[in-house]
Amino acid sequence: MVKTDIEIQFNKGKLLTYSLGASAFFFAGVFFAYAGLVTKNHFFIRLFLLFLGIATISFFGLLLLIILPKALGNKAGLIITDKGLYDYSSAISTGFITWSEIKKTSHSYLGSNIFMLIMVKKPEKYIARQKWLIKRIAMRLNYKMSGTPIHILVSFLDTDIHTLYSLMTEKRYQKVENKETEN
């Protein structure tokens, strides 16, 4: 049997650009935290600088921990198969979603980022499947905001939303067409 899976890789250039930006803010946070510790300014200014530094280091450090492995690794961001799709596109990736679970797809824009929204029959199943509390909370927020916990971050993939729709539609209905031609 010929392997017909479609692997969509991450857009390495975009991920590395985001990584450089996150690195710059991370080091700015280190500078603020250091300035908060060593300056002789008013106590509240020092406390503010220290808090700002710690918050910046925490946020952009986490962002780097999420983005860098995707930028430097070889794992595909999305794999489309005859049975469904594997989502590894973001920090709260879903994993495997069968075609029979998908009710419909749509897309959404958040700033310059494009998300493909996958409406599923049992959204709570995908939320409960997450091992980490933070991921479950993020998926629950996605579900409350858009009606689905599954958001594929198309902006970080090496494709565009229209091509992705076409590839998914072709794979999803390929099995139906094959059954009709056999009869």
Side-chain angles (χ1 to χ4, degrees), residues 11 17 20 25 35 40 62 67 69 77-78 100 102 110 113 118 123 146-147 165 167-168:
N11 183 330
T17 302
L20 285 173
F25 280 103
K40 303 289 186 217
L62 180 63
I67 293 176
L78 190 69
S100 61
I102 298 174
L110 182 62
N113 291 318
I118 309 288
S146 64
Y165 269 126
L167 291 171
M168 285 178 61

Side-chain angles (χ1 to χ4, degrees), residues 19-175:
S19 296
L20 285 173
S23 297
F25 280 103
F26 177 83
F27 288 114
V30 170
F31 172 77
F32 285 131
Y34 179 74
L37 292 173
V38 299
T39 61
K40 303 289 186 217
N41 288 337
H42 192 273
F43 174 75
F44 290 111
I45 293 172
R46 292 183 14 225
L47 190 63
F48 174 75
L49 287 173
L50 184 61
F51 175 76
L52 180 64
I54 291 171
T56 305
I57 290 167
S58 300
F59 179 77
F60 288 102
L62 180 63
L63 197 60
L64 277 171
L65 287 174
I66 293 167
I67 293 176
L68 269 180
K70 292 179 186 309
L72 301 176
N74 292 323
K75 191 173 185 179
L78 190 69
I79 303 169
I80 304 170
T81 71
D82 294 335
K83 293 180 174 35
L85 55 101
Y86 293 89
D87 168 32
Y88 306 110
S89 64
S90 68
I92 53 171
S93 300
T94 310
F96 185 66
I97 309 163
T98 63
W99 293 126
S100 61
E101 274 289 312
I102 298 174
K103 293 192 304 189
K104 73 175 192 171
T105 59
S106 64
H107 63 279
S108 173
Y109 295 91
L110 182 62
S112 64
N113 291 318
I114 304 170
F115 293 90
M116 177 177 274
L117 309 177
I118 309 288
M119 309 298 182
V120 290
K121 293 176 182 172
K122 299 176 185 171
E124 290 294 331
K125 168 184 156 184
Y126 293 94
I127 295 170
R129 195 160 81 177
Q130 296 298 325
K131 294 176 184 160
W132 296 97
L133 177 65
I134 293 172
K135 286 186 174 188
R136 279 196 307 271
I137 291 169
M139 286 187 92
R140 194 166 304 285
L141 287 171
N142 282 346
Y143 182 44
K144 286 181 181 179
M145 289 187 323
S146 64
T148 181
I150 304 170
H151 293 191
I152 296 173
L153 184 55
V154 180
S155 299
F156 285 170
L157 298 176
D158 204 13
T159 189
D160 62 82
I161 190 73
H162 305 293
T163 304
L164 184 56
Y165 269 126
S166 296
L167 291 171
M168 285 178 61
T169 303
E170 181 182 317
K171 267 300 187 193
R172 185 175 184 187
Y173 296 109
Q174 181 178 16
K175 202 176 236 184

Side-chain angles (χ1 to χ4, degrees), residues 10-23:
F10 285 105
N11 183 330
K12 304 282 186 179
K14 189 174 243 186
L15 287 174
L16 287 172
T17 302
Y18 274 69
S19 296
L20 285 173
S23 297

